[in-house]
Amino acid sequence: MSEKKEILFHVEKLLNKRDQFMITKLSSIDFSGFTTMEQLFIHEMDGQPFESIAPGQRWGENWGYGWFRSNITVPKEAEGKRLVAMLDFGSEATVYINGIVSGAKDLNHHYVTLTRSAKAGEPFEIVAEAYAGHSDSRPTFGESQLCVFEEEVYQFFIDLECLYDLRNHLDAKSLRVAEIDRCLTQVFATIDLTLRQESLCENAKLCRKLMEPLLACVNGSTAPTLYLMGQSHLDVAWLWPIAETKRKIARTMSNQLALMDEYPEYTYTQSQPYLFQVVKTLYPELYARIKQAVKEGRIIPEGSMWVEPDTNLPSGESLIRQALHGKRFFKDEFGVDNEMLWLPDVFGYSGNLPQIMKGCGIHYFASTKLFGTYDNVADPFPHNTFLWEGIDGSQILTHLMNYGDYYPIRINPSFLIHQWSDRVQLEGISTRLTQFGHGDGGGGSNRDDLEFMRRLGNLEGVPKTKHGSPIEFFEDQIEKGVPGAKYVGELYYPAHRGTYTTQAIIKKLNRKAEIGLREVELWGAAAELLNNRAYPYEDLERLWKTLLLHQFHDILPGSSIHRVHEEAQIELKALNKNVYDLASDTRDALTDEDASRVTVFNSLSWPRKELVALPAGVHGIADGNGAVLPVQLHEGVTYAEVEVPSMGWSTYKAEAEASGAPAASAVLATESRLENEWIALEMNERGELTSVFDKETGTEWAADHCNVMRMYRDQNSDFDAWEIDRRYRLAPVELNASAKVSVTANGPLFANIRVERELKQSTMIQDVRLCAGSRRVEFHTTIHWREKNKLLKVDFPVRVHTNESLQEIQFGYVKRPNHASRPHDADRYEVVQHKWSALAEANRGFALLNDCKYGISVNDNTMSLTLLRAPTWPDETSDQGTHHFTYGFTFWNGAFLDSPVVREAYELNYPVSLVFGGGREAQSLLSIDQADVIAETVKLAEDGSGDWIVRLYESKGASVACGLHFGLSVAAVYETNMLEEKLADLPHEGQDVLLQFRPFEVKTIRLRPNGRNRG
């Protein structure tokens, strides 16, 4: 072994044993404790059943907690020293010192400092709340020690590691490395490891003097700069439940506050206002310290959104509310206005996120995830700092970071060197934003990080560093000049594609809640104005925040443990019940109690003709002219087809008996054929469509059998719930069982063919429905899903030739390749959609619609809607059980701009609502004269002024002039940002406003009603 290599071997060996030299054990710490399944707090400890517990003893049960307590007195040999408690409860724990939450025992924090200068005889009470876990393996109580922390020895080891790590990441032949090696040799000639305590500390000081000149060497003028952001990514739920996160945030914040006491230069950035709200509610003393640290600029609340949500699956309105509630909380609590959206661990970023950010007053975007692709990417992302341009043209200054060695992220020379050398953007930038601190489960920085940071401000061979707010990085970048790099469209994440589908019930509950909240707001605004019914501000805020919480990026995507998903389903089912009950109450407030009449409500911004189920006891209805409408009895329910104005209601007379001549049926069903005036379908013995015939043009749309169920083995190398392997089509599962096919409805309003069949271990019941006069075919589907590690899709190969597909996203759509010509094309073999996807030629097209399915693949002319998955980790029971969902298709002849796709998709998802009572003539609250402009939201303003907020967007990618007509008297109209802050007055003529939209533009309009329009 060469002399140089021998020295390095000695250094590495010594660094691995540093704790035995830094720590002087004084005595064991004896604890007493008790276990509980409840969440208790420090002030509730008196009277609890504490009993002695010994090292080696197992404790607790799944999901439970242990509370442990000890009282110690400082021995005289610790006088003047840093005194620490090395704690071992067998699990992560929140630690209280003398009744104050003071830190944590976790993966990155191994001791708690009792005092930095001990006084003999001083008493300390140590209390800890430890998590028993949920792995069916009870934690083992370890041996805790009261120790002196030899500070000078610790500083020696930080110096030593700093130089050792630096030389290992420089040119081995450089002068810098030679000088470091010479120094290390001198250090090992000086260090005497046989010494202890004071003698060893003095010896360590001599060694530090030897290293000091090398640690004082600085860079030249061309060294890059890294802006260091102390942070802790804390998953609100993932491999632990929300209940444990409520403890994790207390551990994390108390850790960071303890560090700030010792390191005045340290600042810490924390996102997710939800977590601050948790601390405020559960740990008021800690929250008061946090507020003070924010006031001092030590804690930086930044990140903008209520939680760190998935951005593929939530609606555009949900993402706006994430920002509205997130920014408002930080503004109200701390007086700060967030400027950055920080989403470090989210699985791809919507192509309309730049517009949403800009509309919510967010100027910058930062993430790390796009470079953490688990070797599952063919075409890496090309930029670090760039302008990200959304589908409407909005631009946001963006920086994408690297994880480094994932977690824990340690601030040391090698990490910082790699943060610069691993950049993908080799030209045009001289700075980067860099996060540090333990994350995923919280924790944040430890002392090592901050000691290294003190040495790495400008150390030769390492990028220079600045520490503070991430906003300083962006402001510096603007001052230097924004790089010329620009990226247009979605930031597609080439991994975790299974999250579009996993935990299908949660995804459905999310969409239904979004729809229900929209109904509450619209009809609540109308009831407040027309009937003076109090608008449910508090209820809406509570309900919205519940939904926003469950849009967190490991809950809605379905990538958490079973308990998280189980609790999410319970919460979201309760949320939906509350939302729809509240929506029903607001509609009832707009009617009287006349049981001889019924009122039908339409929340969409165009007039509709729809099927509606009549309530029990009503077997027919008549319009305002007394004309009795045709009805159809189906499975004990009477249906009628009603007409309803745009964003309004119509009233009908209820009939106890069906009357009038039976209507001629325009729909016809046999066991092999289903047709109306426009469409003729032919079906085989498995319920597959062998023909989709367009009667208007005489065109066959089916290129092969459509509505074909395809099952595949779904086995991934890792991250089961997250991934769909790119080779899944090589592992098909045969589905050859024939079906039972029967006609269950045959006009006059609709016809229905029922298909019942086995899908391997699962069963499916599907009603294929076609309504009179409709160009939409619906597949109302129930699947009893009993598979493991299987993927179920349904294929529609159609006669459309194009080289791209269209998928709806928030407030618009994106175009994606339907081929694998280039690596980035091939990476997008599974993509996300909202309510529709389409293949379109210049003069016609075909679209798939859905009411809760987000994953789809499009290969050439075949659209494959992803229906269900069955991963087994981290939730071994994923998606087992019964699923109810509807998908459908429509086609059109003519340009896409004139197609009915967007409206058909909305109508599939937003049913009209019928209630008993009348009292009002038919009325439209809002109508729009452009079919491609959609009113997404109508609500009362958040400020309680009574102003109305109308959010609209252009849905087809066209520049249009659009006229709005309000069905109420208007005093003033303003354009606002998405946070409802006024931007400009808008001219209006009576109840009409003219607006200009650019492609995919979202506009928010604020209107002041002219008094009360009582009906």
Side-chain angles (χ1 to χ4, degrees):
M1 179 180 290
S2 70
E3 181 180 348
K4 179 181 291 187
K5 289 185 178 179
E6 186 175 1
I7 286 296
L8 300 182
F9 171 79
H10 282 304
V11 174
E12 182 177 2
K13 185 177 180 180
L14 180 57
L15 289 172
N16 287 335
K17 296 192 296 184
R18 74 173 195 167
D19 283 0
Q20 71 184 65
F21 300 107
M22 291 188 322
I23 302 295
T24 299
K25 297 179 181 178
L26 300 179
S27 64
S28 296
I29 302 176
D30 297 325
F31 281 92
S32 58
F34 70 95
T35 60
T36 179
M37 299 299 291
E38 301 178 54
Q39 181 161 16
L40 301 177
F41 298 94
I42 188 67
H43 64 272
E44 300 175 293
M45 291 301 101
D46 289 346
Q48 297 293 348
F50 283 94
E51 295 181 357
S52 179
I53 185 169
Q57 186 175 331
R58 289 189 174 274
W59 63 272
E61 56 185 292
N62 279 356
W63 315 112
Y65 287 83
W67 282 87
F68 305 104
R69 182 170 64 188
S70 181
N71 288 281
I72 65 164
T73 301
V74 176
K76 63 181 180 181
E77 58 264 40
E79 180 75 36
K81 297 277 191 176
R82 177 189 285 265
L83 189 64
V84 302
M86 306 289 291
L87 302 173
D88 186 358
F89 309 109
S91 69
E92 192 170 311
T94 312
V95 180
Y96 298 79
I97 304 299
N98 295 337
I100 303 298
V101 59
S102 301
K105 166 65 172 67
D106 61 30
L107 292 173
N108 205 38
H109 301 84
H110 307 299
Y111 62 86
V112 174
T113 297
L114 302 177
T115 173
R116 297 201 296 274
S117 181
K119 298 177 182 178
E122 185 177 5
F124 288 95
E125 181 192 58
I126 304 172
V127 177
E129 181 193 27
Y131 181 44
H134 49 268
S135 64
D136 293 320
S137 177
R138 300 167 70 203
T140 301
F141 198 82
E143 185 172 358
S144 297
Q145 299 281 347
L146 182 65
C147 304
V148 165
F149 192 90
E150 306 292 356
E151 187 65 23
E152 195 64 44
V153 177
Y154 171 67
Q155 297 295 338
F156 159 76
F157 276 107
I158 295 293
D159 288 350
L160 183 66
E161 183 180 350
C162 191
L163 289 177
Y164 173 73
D165 188 54
L166 172 60
R167 64 88 54 214
N168 287 340
H169 293 84
L170 298 178
D171 181 355
K173 297 181 180 180
S174 67
L175 176 61
R176 180 76 159 139
V177 168
E179 290 178 338
I180 291 174
D181 287 346
R182 178 175 55 82
C183 177
L184 294 178
T185 301
Q186 292 175 326
V187 167
F188 266 82
T190 306
I191 191 71
D192 184 352
L193 299 176
T194 65
L195 301 174
R196 289 294 182 268
Q197 296 181 306
E198 293 294 341
S199 297
L200 181 57
C201 288
E202 290 302 316
N203 183 247
K205 281 184 182 180
L206 294 176
C207 294
R208 292 191 69 203
K209 284 288 185 183
L210 295 172
M211 293 184 280
E212 186 176 329
L214 289 171
L215 290 170
C217 295
V218 299
N219 288 292
S221 60
T222 60
T225 299
L226 301 179
Y227 281 79
L228 301 182
M229 176 178 72
Q231 63 88 51
S232 175
H233 171 51
L234 176 50
D235 284 327
V236 168
W238 180 36
L239 301 181
W240 50 86
I242 290 175
E244 172 62 2
T245 300
K246 292 177 179 180
R247 279 89 164 185
K248 283 179 176 289
I249 185 58
R251 297 171 199 148
T252 299
M253 298 303 281
S254 58
N255 275 336
Q256 301 312 299
L257 286 167
L259 289 171
M260 288 174 193
D261 286 342
E262 188 165 358
Y263 296 89
E265 73 275 20
Y266 176 50
T267 62
Y268 172 76
T269 300
Q270 179 64 55
S271 63
Q272 305 191 101
Y274 166 76
L275 297 175
F276 286 82
Q277 179 65 65
V278 166
V279 178
K280 181 180 181 180
T281 303
L282 301 181
Y283 302 93
E285 182 278 331
L286 176 61
Y287 192 70
R289 286 188 279 150
I290 291 171
K291 290 199 77 169
Q292 182 61 32
V294 173
K295 185 177 180 181
E296 295 168 358
R298 311 288 302 285
I299 289 178
I300 301 168
E302 186 61 75
S304 296
M305 290 191 170
W306 184 245
V307 296
E308 292 170 7
D310 180 85
T311 73
N312 286 315
L313 307 172
S315 69
E317 191 62 35
S318 287
L319 293 177
I320 291 172
R321 302 304 175 93
Q322 288 280 0
L324 186 149
H325 287 290
K327 293 191 70 172
R328 185 165 70 190
F329 182 92
F330 280 162
K331 187 77 168 177
D332 291 348
E333 291 291 314
F334 306 119
V336 299
D337 186 18
N338 278 190
E339 298 181 74
M340 179 181 81
L341 177 57
W342 167 239
L343 297 177
D345 196 34
V346 174
F347 315 148
Y349 305 97
S350 166
N352 219 346
L353 199 54
Q355 180 175 198
I356 292 171
M357 285 189 278
K358 196 167 186 178
C360 293
I362 300 169
H363 308 306
Y364 314 118
F365 176 64
S367 177
T368 61
K369 193 67 174 180
L370 224 59
F371 293 121
T373 54
Y374 315 102
D375 300 319
N376 193 26
V377 57
D379 188 5
F381 193 78
H383 307 304
N384 294 114
T385 303
F386 59 99
L387 285 176
W388 178 21
E389 183 174 303
I391 61 173
D392 74 310
S394 295
Q395 295 183 343
I396 292 288
L397 181 57
T398 297
H399 186 76
L400 300 181
M401 295 177 253
N402 297 76
Y403 273 116
D405 294 327
Y406 200 61
Y407 294 116
I409 298 174
R410 297 189 75 218
I411 287 292
N412 57 21
S414 59
F415 172 71
L416 298 182
I417 289 169
H418 282 298
Q419 283 291 299
W420 183 252
S421 63
D422 290 350
R423 74 195 188 283
V424 296
Q425 197 167 348
L426 300 181
E427 297 180 355
I429 61 173
S430 60
T431 60
R432 289 200 70 189
L433 182 60
T434 299
Q435 62 165 343
F436 68 95
H438 189 71
D440 265 0
S445 310
N446 61 18
R447 281 197 71 203
D448 284 9
D449 296 320
L450 304 189
E451 288 293 342
F452 277 122
M453 192 167 67
R454 283 180 167 177
R455 290 158 173 82
L456 296 171
N458 187 6
L459 179 63
E460 183 185 0
V462 184
K464 292 185 289 187
T465 65
K466 291 184 178 180
H467 173 55
S469 166
I471 303 304
E472 295 170 12
F473 161 79
F474 288 105
E475 290 176 341
D476 175 74
Q477 188 66 72
I478 291 171
E479 185 177 337
K480 285 185 169 71
V482 175
K486 182 174 78 171
Y487 193 88
V488 177
E490 67 176 332
L491 299 183
Y492 178 83
Y493 182 54
H496 293 3
R497 302 165 182 90
T499 59
Y500 313 149
T501 302
T502 306
Q503 295 294 336
I505 290 175
I506 291 175
K507 290 171 170 60
K508 180 176 180 178
L509 289 168
N510 175 76
R511 186 179 295 185
K512 297 306 179 189
E514 290 174 333
I515 292 168
L517 284 164
R518 180 181 184 275
E519 300 276 322
V520 173
E521 292 180 334
L522 169 62
W523 305 126
E528 193 274 344
L529 184 65
L530 300 175
N531 275 14
N532 206 27
R533 182 183 188 273
Y535 189 75
Y537 287 105
E538 292 183 3
D539 287 338
L540 281 166
E541 179 171 354
R542 173 177 51 82
L543 294 169
W544 263 111
K545 285 181 176 177
T546 299
L547 180 61
L548 300 179
L549 170 63
H550 289 89
Q551 291 173 346
F552 179 76
H553 66 257
D554 279 310
I555 300 178
L556 183 54
S559 49
S560 293
I561 57 174
H562 176 74
R563 177 176 164 181
V564 171
H565 299 143
E566 183 179 47
E567 291 177 346
Q569 286 195 32
I570 292 170
E571 288 290 321
L572 289 172
K573 286 175 181 176
L575 170 67
N576 272 275
K577 183 181 187 307
N578 290 335
V579 165
Y580 281 91
D581 284 350
L582 189 55
S584 179
D585 290 345
T586 58
R587 288 189 292 264
D588 287 344
L590 289 165
T591 62
D592 58 23
E593 296 180 358
D594 183 357
S596 69
R597 303 180 74 79
V598 294
T599 300
V600 184
F601 291 85
N602 167 32
S603 68
L604 298 181
S605 52
W606 57 89
R608 296 167 67 183
K609 180 181 288 188
E610 292 285 352
L611 278 181
V612 64
L614 302 181
V618 177
H619 299 285
I621 56 175
D623 64 19
N625 297 319
V628 177
L629 305 186
V631 296
Q632 179 173 336
L633 184 64
H634 176 61
E635 296 182 339
V637 177
T638 301
Y639 292 84
E641 187 177 64
V642 296
E643 294 186 32
V644 201
S646 169
M647 278 197 168
W649 53 83
S650 294
T651 301
Y652 293 86
K653 182 180 179 183
E655 303 284 347
E657 301 292 336
S659 58
S665 181
V667 288
L668 175 68
T670 69
E671 292 182 359
S672 61
R673 188 174 176 87
L674 182 63
E675 64 179 308
N676 68 3
E677 308 95 313
W678 305 109
I679 304 172
L681 309 176
E682 294 184 4
M683 185 179 292
N684 67 14
E685 70 280 1
R686 287 193 294 273
E688 300 165 350
L689 302 182
T690 59
S691 175
V692 178
F693 188 74
D694 181 352
K695 289 185 174 182
E696 181 183 21
T697 61
T699 302
E700 174 60 56
W701 283 90
D704 200 341
H705 291 181
C706 291
N707 197 41
V708 177
M709 295 291 159
R710 303 285 191 193
M711 186 179 288
Y712 304 92
R713 290 203 305 276
D714 189 17
Q715 296 168 281
N716 301 289
S717 59
D718 204 354
F719 295 101
D720 199 12
W722 292 259
E723 304 299 345
I724 294 177
D725 190 86
R726 68 175 69 238
R727 293 161 289 274
Y728 73 90
R729 290 190 181 275
L730 300 178
V733 176
E734 290 187 359
L735 298 175
N736 292 326
S738 59
K740 176 185 176 184
V741 180
S742 58
V743 176
T744 59
N746 214 345
L749 301 181
F750 64 91
N752 207 82
I753 298 178
R754 179 161 296 166
V755 177
E756 302 174 67
R757 62 179 294 196
E758 293 181 355
L759 302 173
K760 206 62 178 174
Q761 305 300 317
S762 305
T763 58
M764 180 184 78
I765 302 172
Q766 185 171 79
D767 287 347
V768 186
R769 178 172 297 179
L770 181 61
C771 294
S774 176
R775 297 176 186 266
R776 183 173 78 231
V777 179
E778 298 175 359
F779 301 85
H780 298 259
T781 308
T782 297
I783 294 181
H784 303 288
W785 187 240
R786 305 184 186 96
E787 310 301 320
K788 293 282 189 180
N789 294 114
K790 299 294 189 300
L791 173 67
L792 183 66
K793 286 177 165 278
V794 60
D795 283 5
F796 285 82
V798 295
R799 294 183 179 180
V800 177
H801 177 69
T802 181
N803 58 13
E804 62 189 10
S805 60
L806 314 178
Q807 279 84 38
E808 185 192 38
I809 62 168
Q810 299 91 344
F811 301 126
Y813 68 86
V814 292
K815 298 178 180 180
R816 299 182 177 114
N818 57 345
H819 53 83
S821 301
R822 300 283 295 176
H824 188 46
D825 303 334
D827 272 341
R828 289 175 283 176
Y829 57 86
E830 179 85 2
V831 295
V832 70
Q833 62 173 357
H834 278 219
K835 298 183 292 296
W836 60 267
S837 288
L839 290 170
E841 296 173 356
N843 63 340
R844 65 183 201 134
F846 184 98
L848 286 184
L849 319 171
N850 74 85
D851 74 345
C852 61
K853 296 300 171 187
Y854 292 88
I856 192 169
S857 56
V858 185
N859 186 26
D860 294 331
N861 64 335
T862 299
M863 306 176 74
S864 299
L865 183 65
T866 310
L867 301 179
L868 291 168
R869 299 187 68 222
T872 54
W873 188 83
D875 182 353
E876 67 281 1
T877 65
S878 290
D879 288 300
Q880 300 298 298
T882 300
H883 297 262
H884 305 282
F885 53 88
T886 298
Y887 60 91
F889 70 79
T890 189
F891 52 79
W892 69 93
N893 297 295
F896 175 73
L897 180 63
D898 301 320
S899 75
V901 171
V902 174
R903 286 188 171 186
E904 291 279 12
Y906 268 93
E907 290 176 6
L908 182 69
N909 281 269
Y910 293 73
V912 297
S913 302
L914 182 148
V915 300
F916 269 117
R920 293 187 182 278
E921 297 299 320
Q923 181 172 351
S924 169
L925 299 173
L926 172 70
S927 59
I928 304 170
D929 67 6
Q930 284 288 344
D932 57 323
V933 174
I934 307 295
E936 180 72 2
T937 299
V938 176
K939 61 188 285 291
L940 289 194
E942 294 288 317
D943 60 11
S945 63
D947 289 358
W948 281 43
I949 300 296
V950 181
R951 188 144 27 242
L952 312 103
Y953 74 100
E954 195 287 316
S955 65
K956 299 278 186 65
S959 295
V960 295
C962 168
L964 273 63
H965 177 77
F966 298 106
L968 48 96
S969 180
V970 176
V973 184
Y974 312 94
E975 185 169 0
T976 76
N977 62 15
M978 293 177 183
L979 302 180
E980 305 176 8
E981 299 163 340
K982 295 176 186 176
L983 300 177
D985 292 350
L986 289 177
H988 67 284
E989 294 186 7
Q991 295 165 268
D992 296 308
V993 178
L994 182 65
L995 300 174
Q996 298 285 340
F997 284 82
R998 66 178 182 271
F1000 300 124
E1001 183 180 6
V1002 180
K1003 283 186 180 293
T1004 305
I1005 307 303
R1006 184 178 185 125
L1007 63 97
R1008 182 157 300 155
N1010 196 3
R1012 296 284 177 183
N1013 291 268
R1014 299 191 181 277

